Amino acid sequence: MSDQMRPRSSRSKLSTIARHGRLKKSNPVTTVFKFIAAALAVLMVSGVSVAAIAAYDVVASVKPGVHLENEVEGEPGPKFSAIKGGVNLLLVGSDSRKGQAAVFGGEDETGDLNDVTMLLHISEDHSNASVISFPRDMYVPIPGCPDGKGGTYDAMSSQKINTTLTYGGLACTVLTVEELTGLKIPYAAEVQFGGVMAMSTAVGGVEVCVAEDIEDKHTDTYLKAGKHTLQGLAALQFLRTRHGIGDGSDLTRINNQQVFMSALLRTIKSSETLSDPTKVYSLAKAATANMQLSTSLNNVDTLISIALALKDIDLDKVVFVQVPTGEVDSGVKPLQPDFEDMFTTIAADQPIQLGGSTGRGATADPDAPAAPEPTASAAPKPGTSATPAPKPSAPATVLPDSATGQTAGEFTCSVGRTLNNQ
């Protein structure tokens, strides 16, 4: 039997091979916008409550029809609180040109592929979070997905995960990741790439570290070893480079993007950003203007409640991790049992800790600032009671070496590759 299950009269069929054959070569700016759009949506929401409150106004303006139930004319503004319990939110970066600026190419130049698929998991007690990246070329089973016309696309035993948007939109990507991980995912957002460059500019640039020279003629990216503050097009070039990083693979490009994302999150959570309303508003505007939200997220109160759940999580408790994979022809596949064990841990709401490396595309920054000395607690004043000690967190489960990544608190450098080594 072929990979695609036998069709039934009520089911629709798509030809993956034929469809891919019609696709033109991707615009060189596509990869970074697809990835960073999704990543930055996470990071914007990972800021603080002021970023979420800014999003309140932004979403009201860019998402017509959203009913702001807590807003009452003549009354004080709504009162926000963190969402109760844990959160699983899937962020999908689409390469669709629909509604995007002409610089990204015509609407018929690409299909609608999710070349970025990232799962944000917030623990039940809001003490930790993880951002889990699924490589675009990972082969996975795709369940039968609604086709939007009353029918169903056939289930398939093995296709690349980045085709799920084609087979049924955002809902199909969610169904696929749920089946793959065993997790329930009640929230999802599809993010397009238009306007995302403005986010790095909105924070005044992001400082990244380069361990070895990066040279990539495909993206016109040439960076000497050292520190670079990147914004706008320069940030775009850095994020989309593949040939100039690690071994030139998409996996090491993810490592490189995690270097940028962790630096960006530190920048967003810094006092210089949070004390500047213009920066906060610009970040919220850039992110929400490029989101297509699931019905469950299409409410500003929900967005803000998720942001409030994230705002106080320590940088060292935010883990960026790439799922364990093994190589196969023209792609990768989940590496078992490591893959299943990781999601069993997450399903049990246990914090995770990276036990392996940052991956071949990143390395520790030798000039990272020293960790601050712990501050001694002041003795309570006479007649007052001491503040109760925080409840200790559950011990973290150390992931196997096959799961690579870093925390947002780690200072890392991108491992460059010169033209002579390509």
Side-chain angles (χ1 to χ4, degrees):
M1 180 182 295
S2 64
D3 177 65
Q4 188 164 315
M5 295 175 62
R6 291 190 180 96
R8 291 180 288 180
S9 58
S10 64
R11 302 176 77 89
S12 302
K13 294 187 291 182
L14 289 178
S15 175
T16 304
I17 296 176
R19 182 179 180 280
H20 286 182
R22 292 195 300 268
L23 294 179
K24 296 182 180 180
K25 185 177 181 180
S26 177
N27 184 293
V29 303
T30 299
T31 299
V32 60
F33 274 113
K34 291 178 295 189
F35 186 96
I36 203 60
L40 291 183
V42 176
L43 298 181
M44 183 280 294
V45 175
S46 299
V48 293
S49 57
V50 67
I53 293 169
Y56 184 98
D57 173 67
V58 173
V59 174
S61 65
V62 301
K63 297 290 183 183
V66 173
H67 178 58
L68 307 179
E69 294 185 5
N70 290 328
E71 191 173 58
V72 180
E73 186 175 353
E75 295 293 329
K79 296 180 180 179
F80 305 119
S81 60
I83 195 169
K84 294 182 179 179
V87 173
N88 287 326
L89 190 161
L90 194 70
L91 284 152
V92 174
S94 167
D95 68 354
S96 172
R97 304 295 203 277
K98 186 176 181 180
Q100 301 299 290
V103 68
F104 302 117
E107 291 187 10
D108 62 346
E109 288 192 8
T110 69
D112 194 4
L113 301 174
N114 50 301
D115 275 4
V116 174
T117 305
M118 302 173 67
L119 176 64
L120 168 64
H121 172 77
I122 307 172
S123 65
E124 288 279 341
D125 62 2
H126 302 169
S127 66
N128 62 85
S130 52
V131 181
I132 304 163
S133 294
F134 299 85
R136 64 185 184 184
D137 292 332
M138 184 170 69
Y139 284 95
V140 300
I142 298 179
C145 294
D147 65 2
K149 300 177 182 179
T152 306
Y153 291 122
D154 292 332
M156 291 169 284
S157 62
S158 182
Q159 290 289 342
K160 289 184 178 180
I161 196 171
N162 74 334
T163 63
T164 53
L165 276 184
T166 301
Y167 291 113
L170 182 61
C172 188
T173 307
V174 171
L175 286 172
T176 299
V177 176
E178 284 184 332
E179 183 173 285
L180 183 66
T181 64
L183 301 174
K184 293 297 182 184
I185 304 173
Y187 307 107
E190 180 181 341
V191 191
Q192 292 182 314
F193 45 77
V196 179
M197 273 198 302
M199 298 194 75
S200 61
T201 303
V203 297
V206 178
E207 185 181 76
V208 297
C209 170
V210 176
E212 300 166 358
D213 293 356
I214 295 174
E215 297 179 356
D216 185 356
K217 63 182 180 181
H218 300 274
T219 60
D220 196 28
T221 302
Y222 298 91
L223 296 173
K224 293 292 185 182
K227 301 293 175 62
H228 301 268
T229 299
L230 307 177
Q231 60 180 300
L233 181 60
L236 166 68
Q237 293 173 323
F238 178 81
L239 285 159
R240 69 186 179 92
T241 182
R242 175 171 65 86
H243 297 278
I245 294 293
D247 59 13
S249 70
D250 186 58
L251 298 183
T252 55
R253 173 163 48 188
I254 290 178
N255 304 149
N256 181 57
Q257 290 163 340
Q258 289 174 337
V259 170
F260 185 92
M261 286 191 295
S262 61
L264 175 61
L265 183 52
R266 292 193 297 269
T267 302
I268 288 176
K269 297 193 75 171
S270 70
S271 60
E272 289 80 4
T273 298
L274 301 179
S275 62
D276 188 331
T278 300
K279 289 182 178 180
V280 170
Y281 185 86
S282 296
L283 283 166
K285 181 80 171 180
T288 56
N290 291 279
M291 287 185 184
Q292 178 62 53
L293 305 175
S294 62
T295 302
S296 56
L297 267 186
N298 202 22
N299 181 296
V300 176
D301 295 340
T302 303
L303 288 171
I304 293 173
S305 69
I306 292 175
L308 291 173
L310 280 161
K311 75 180 183 69
D312 292 327
I313 298 179
D314 292 340
L315 291 169
D316 289 335
K317 300 296 184 181
V318 179
V319 179
F320 293 98
V321 58
Q322 183 177 164
V323 296
T325 59
E327 294 184 1
V328 294
D329 288 343
S330 71
V332 296
K333 66 177 181 179
L335 181 65
Q336 303 295 2
D338 296 358
F339 186 96
E340 183 177 350
D341 289 347
M342 186 178 91
F343 285 103
T344 298
T345 299
I346 292 171
D349 202 45
Q350 297 297 310
I352 59 174
Q353 179 180 330
L354 292 163
S357 71
T358 53
R360 297 186 298 272
T363 187
D365 183 354
D367 299 320
E373 294 291 335
T375 304
S377 301
K381 295 180 180 180
T384 64
S385 58
T387 301
K391 184 179 179 180
S393 301
T397 297
V398 179
L399 299 179
D401 292 352
S402 56
T404 62
Q406 65 174 92
T407 70
E410 288 182 85
F411 287 76
T412 53
C413 302
S414 298
V415 176
R417 191 167 74 142
T418 63
L419 295 175
N420 291 336
N421 296 320
Q422 297 175 27

